[in-house]
Amino acid sequence: MLSVRSVRGRAACGVALAALLAATAAAPAAAQDAAEAPAQPQGLTEYAAAVVNDEIISTYDLAQRMRLLIATTGVQPSEQNLPQIQQQALVSLVDERLQFQELRRVEQEQDFSIIATDEEVDEELAEMAAGNNMTPEQFTSMLRSQGVLGSLREQLRAQSSWQRWIQGRYGSRLRIGDDQINAVLEQQQAQASKPQYQISEVFLDANRVGGMEVALQGAAQLVTQMQQGAPFQAVARQFSASATAASGGDAGWITPGEMPAEVDQALEQMRPGQLSRPIPVSDGVYIIYLRDKRAGEGSTIVNLKQVAVGLPADAPPSAVEAAQARLLAVRAKITGCGDLEQVAGQETGLVAGDLGEAEIADLAPAFRQAAEQLEEGQISDPIRTEAGLHIVAVCGKRATGAGMLSAEQVERRLFFQQLGLIARRYMRDLRNAATIETR
């Protein structure tokens, strides 16, 4: 049974940690020993921030993890978001202690090694260094100067060890049946005509962070930080409770129905490159980044430019004929989409512009007919609308498809989805069985 006993007020702890962060930020890198564990700054009292099954998480451990979150996500600490950073740091440290405790128990019972060695952690760091276009020495030197190397090493050790244990224990037992694969393939085929969204996600689990109100406040702060430049992938890795956190929140291509209805509704209103507001669902809050969007199978996307003459709907036939003659004369001078706006700009009273990309089915009837009949690079005859007369150039035209997954890809996706669900249940059981005191 989970026992949480608050021994000291959250506000007092926040003040102490803020002071501790400032003090450790000022400490020189030389204060770190060969084991890469920062020395406790002189004149500063260290006490327990939490106790997990009699194992202490010190305020110094907590401050270092907070600094790691700040350094790796680009989130700028402020009076408003410091409590959220502190909470996330404490949650991650508690989970790591529970994981290490369970792994040590299994090692003793089964007499084999699971916890990653220093050499294996070094390999993880080397991969991270390569991803940042740095040598391992440069990368570790930078982390050491920021005072976060020791905390990052322990985070990597916990993540790699736990993933190894979960996959080793349960991976060989998982069986993805042909009926499951076929069901997904049939669903794909049934949804082929629906729009698809390529998304990245951050999910804040309300039960894990302390309730829906806390999750909403935290999500709002993260959205603000990402709008100010914090990288989405880095924020997802450190804050998201979803299984996609390990890949920076990348959830790939989805169709309506795969996510909660609230997320589907938000996606319908979003454009590629847009970050969502916090989206509350039954058990937490999502933040969605829409990377791309494509229409369903069999649709056609066109990129259009136009030249237009404004005419009222009740303009006399003579005015309409004069406008048609002007547009036809301009069309004869245009060689393609590249010079359309330049040629039209030399004529007074004409308006030219890029209409962007649209699915043909979504166009107004007059424009839709032209887009269907014209090939890329061709320009329409004058088109009459209530606003005036237009000629439309088709600057791009492409068919879209649903990007169907193969049976092997479906099997792999289902395997890791089920493995992620097992890992979350395992952690839930460990938390429920633990005695955790926060101070």
Side-chain angles (χ1 to χ4, degrees):
M1 179 178 179
L2 179 63
S3 172
V4 180
R5 300 195 295 275
S6 180
V7 181
R8 190 169 301 195
R10 184 180 297 269
C13 187
V15 172
L17 282 167
L20 184 55
L21 280 168
T24 54
Q32 300 190 9
D33 59 22
E36 292 147 359
Q40 178 65 22
Q42 293 184 352
L44 194 61
T45 302
E46 180 180 356
Y47 58 87
V51 181
V52 183
N53 293 329
D54 298 326
E55 186 175 349
I56 291 175
I57 297 173
S58 71
T59 52
Y60 192 64
D61 294 333
L62 182 54
Q64 292 302 96
R65 181 53 57 89
M66 290 171 69
R67 293 179 66 185
L68 177 63
L69 289 177
I70 293 166
T72 56
T73 63
V75 170
Q76 298 301 311
S78 66
E79 185 178 348
Q80 289 73 32
N81 66 21
L82 194 61
Q84 183 195 13
I85 296 172
Q86 176 181 324
Q87 179 194 48
Q88 179 61 30
L90 186 58
V91 166
S92 67
L93 286 170
V94 167
D95 282 356
E96 286 175 21
R97 292 296 193 276
L98 291 172
Q99 289 169 351
F100 279 130
Q101 290 169 8
E102 177 68 2
L103 293 174
R104 287 194 292 267
R105 183 190 67 79
V106 173
E107 284 185 335
Q108 291 177 355
E109 283 187 359
Q110 302 187 14
D111 194 27
F112 64 87
S113 297
I114 305 173
I115 297 176
T117 65
D118 287 342
E119 290 74 18
E120 289 170 327
V121 175
D122 288 340
E123 292 176 4
E124 297 263 1
L125 283 170
E127 290 183 10
M128 293 181 69
N132 286 275
N133 298 316
M134 302 172 74
T135 66
E137 294 75 17
Q138 291 171 330
F139 190 58
T140 54
S141 177
M142 178 194 70
L143 294 170
R144 187 178 290 110
S145 69
Q146 295 176 341
V148 299
L149 179 56
S151 189
L152 178 59
R153 289 186 67 90
E154 286 308 288
Q155 185 181 64
L156 293 174
R157 195 188 308 275
Q159 289 174 350
S160 60
S161 303
W162 190 250
Q163 290 169 2
R164 177 192 302 172
W165 163 239
I166 293 296
Q167 188 158 350
R169 179 175 180 179
Y170 297 102
S172 60
R173 305 181 190 181
L174 283 178
R175 294 291 182 270
I176 309 300
D178 290 341
D179 56 336
Q180 295 172 281
I181 297 172
N182 291 334
V184 174
L185 291 174
E186 290 172 5
Q187 184 183 34
Q188 279 190 143
Q189 189 63 45
Q191 295 182 332
S193 61
K194 295 183 179 180
Q196 289 192 323
Y197 307 95
Q198 188 181 34
I199 68 167
S200 293
E201 62 179 355
V202 170
F203 177 65
L204 301 185
D205 187 330
N207 293 323
R208 188 168 180 251
V209 302
M212 183 61 77
E213 184 177 350
V214 175
L216 277 168
Q217 291 174 351
Q221 291 173 359
L222 290 178
V223 168
T224 298
Q225 291 292 330
M226 287 187 282
Q227 289 172 339
Q228 294 173 353
F232 191 100
Q233 289 184 331
V235 171
R237 288 192 180 98
Q238 292 290 1
F239 287 90
S240 180
S242 171
T244 60
S247 59
D250 183 3
W253 288 95
I254 66 165
T255 54
E258 293 185 49
M259 299 288 286
E262 297 89 342
V263 175
D264 285 344
Q265 292 171 7
L267 285 170
E268 289 177 2
Q269 308 301 319
M270 294 174 64
R271 298 178 180 178
Q274 189 174 1
L275 183 69
S276 78
R277 56 171 176 75
I279 307 169
V281 296
S282 60
D283 55 349
V285 181
Y286 278 96
I287 304 169
I288 300 295
Y289 176 61
L290 179 57
R291 290 149 53 197
D292 201 0
K293 179 180 179 179
R294 61 191 179 196
E297 190 176 48
S299 300
T300 303
I301 301 293
V302 288
N303 183 286
L304 303 177
K305 288 186 177 182
Q306 73 160 342
V307 180
V309 178
L311 279 176
D314 59 353
S318 59
V320 174
E321 291 175 4
Q324 286 178 333
R326 290 193 66 193
L327 288 178
L328 290 173
V330 168
R331 189 181 71 168
K333 300 176 185 178
I334 297 172
T335 61
C337 288
D339 67 347
L340 179 146
E341 291 154 308
Q342 179 182 357
V343 172
Q346 296 173 357
E347 303 286 336
T348 59
L350 299 183
V351 177
D354 191 337
L355 299 178
E357 276 196 339
E359 187 178 346
I360 286 182
D362 293 334
L363 296 173
F367 287 83
R368 184 190 311 149
Q369 183 178 3
E372 288 173 342
Q373 295 175 351
L374 297 175
E375 298 299 327
E376 185 172 342
Q378 292 183 327
I379 304 174
S380 73
D381 290 328
I383 300 170
R384 183 70 166 111
T385 70
E386 291 186 356
L389 275 171
H390 316 253
I391 55 173
V392 176
V394 177
C395 302
K397 195 172 188 178
R398 58 187 174 85
T400 63
M404 305 286 282
L405 296 175
S406 67
E408 292 76 14
Q409 290 171 320
V410 169
E411 182 178 14
R412 180 175 176 82
R413 174 179 285 189
L414 290 173
F415 175 84
F416 283 105
Q417 284 177 349
Q418 292 190 21
L419 202 63
L421 180 61
I422 289 170
R424 290 195 297 276
R425 288 174 176 170
Y426 201 144
M427 284 304 305
R428 179 199 61 194
D429 293 343
L430 288 179
R431 293 188 199 102
N432 289 341
T435 299
I436 304 170
E437 303 175 19
T438 59
R439 304 190 173 193

